[in-house]
Amino acid sequence: MRKAKTKFNRPPLILPVCLVGANVDGKPNFEAIAWFNIADYNPYLISISSERTHYTNKGIRKNKEFSINVPSADMAAVTDYCGTYSGEKVDKSKVFDVFYGELTNAPMISECPINVECKLARTIELSHGEVFIGEVVGVYIEEKYLTGNKPDIRKIDPLLFEEGLGNYWKLGKHIGKIHNIGKDYKPKSK
Ligand SMILES: Cc1cc2nc3c(=O)[nH]c(=O)nc-3n(C[C@H](O)[C@H](O)[C@H](O)COP(=O)(O)O)c2cc1C
């Protein structure tokens, strides 16, 4: 069966949202970013794609450091706020309780269950955006989000975003483990 090409140019992908932190003009600023991804390991690299005009970009370009903070679903409103209003116009430095790890210009958000501090490793210039690739310097997760020393995604309850349609979602059910759910799968020939 041949599928007909749709009129959509943006696939409705489900993406976790993060709050990217940077110090800009001497103050912490945070923006919502759904376009982020793991780019490599050893060193472990995470990429974020942020429009060049954003206030956050100014701080990342200057200090070459940023943070990635994963909000839980109950932080949807404050995440949306940080993704609606620019630090150019509103002061977002007091919205969260901020802490620092090893890096002095990667402000992190205490209220978020997962915090990652990154050193800028590379920047890729695109037509509208800058892809900042950060090397992970430290990962912070409070004990209350762990079960038996491992991060517990049910406790973290990450905020999810539906690309293209702009909806927020919560995580569903656990359905299996990597290299296990498919290990006995028998492909049917077409
Ligand atoms: C849920 C959500 C996801 C977003 N994802 C991105 C993204 O991946 N890249 C981007 O450039 N802007 C994204 N934005 C828009 C920025 O967060 C927004 O323009 C923000 O106000 C920029 O803040 P700043 O100017 O203080 O840096 C997103 C906004 C929301 C609400």
Side-chain angles (χ1 to χ4, degrees):
M1 201 250 306
R2 265 194 155 264
K3 288 198 189 191
K5 186 175 168 183
T6 71
K7 61 185 184 335
F8 307 115
N9 57 357
R10 296 170 73 142
L13 304 175
I14 283 289
L15 307 167
V17 190
C18 70
L19 285 157
V20 168
N23 279 341
V24 196
D25 298 331
K27 278 194 297 192
N29 189 69
F30 299 94
E31 71 163 329
I33 290 285
W35 298 355
F36 82 108
N37 212 338
I38 298 161
D40 207 355
Y41 66 96
N42 198 19
Y44 203 85
L45 301 178
I46 298 185
S47 67
I48 60 165
S49 178
S50 182
E51 222 167 294
R52 189 169 292 107
T53 54
H54 291 177
Y55 193 59
T56 310
N57 293 40
K58 196 177 154 184
I60 300 175
R61 282 193 298 262
K62 179 165 188 278
N63 298 312
K64 312 215 171 323
E65 294 175 1
F66 63 92
S67 71
I68 291 168
N69 305 270
V70 177
S72 51
D74 65 4
M75 293 177 70
V78 71
T79 303
D80 195 65
Y81 173 84
C82 290
T84 302
Y85 301 104
S86 174
E88 197 82 58
K89 299 253 166 69
V90 301
D91 181 0
K92 294 187 263 185
S93 69
K94 303 266 160 48
V95 175
F96 303 105
D97 180 43
V98 171
F99 74 100
Y100 290 87
E102 285 178 27
L103 304 176
T104 49
N105 283 297
M108 292 183 277
I109 301 173
S110 300
E111 293 90 332
C112 285
I114 304 174
N115 315 96
V116 185
E117 53 177 340
C118 296
K119 225 168 33 186
L120 185 64
R122 198 179 297 179
T123 303
I124 299 169
E125 302 286 344
L126 301 176
S127 58
H128 296 90
E130 288 171 302
V131 176
F132 296 119
I133 302 180
E135 180 176 338
V136 172
V137 169
V139 177
Y140 301 79
I141 306 174
E142 277 175 86
E143 207 163 323
K144 66 179 174 183
Y145 299 111
L146 307 180
T147 298
N149 286 331
K150 288 190 184 153
D152 186 331
I153 204 73
R154 285 186 198 86
K155 293 179 181 170
I156 293 165
D157 191 21
L159 176 62
L160 307 177
F161 180 68
E162 186 178 5
E163 169 65 14
L165 295 177
N167 296 307
Y168 292 105
W169 294 91
K170 266 167 80 81
L171 205 65
K173 287 193 189 107
H174 178 252
I175 58 162
K177 288 285 281 183
I178 185 169
H179 304 317
N180 183 275
I181 194 168
K183 79 176 173 1
D184 299 323
Y185 181 77
K186 305 274 182 285
K188 298 171 197 82
S189 44
K190 301 283 175 191

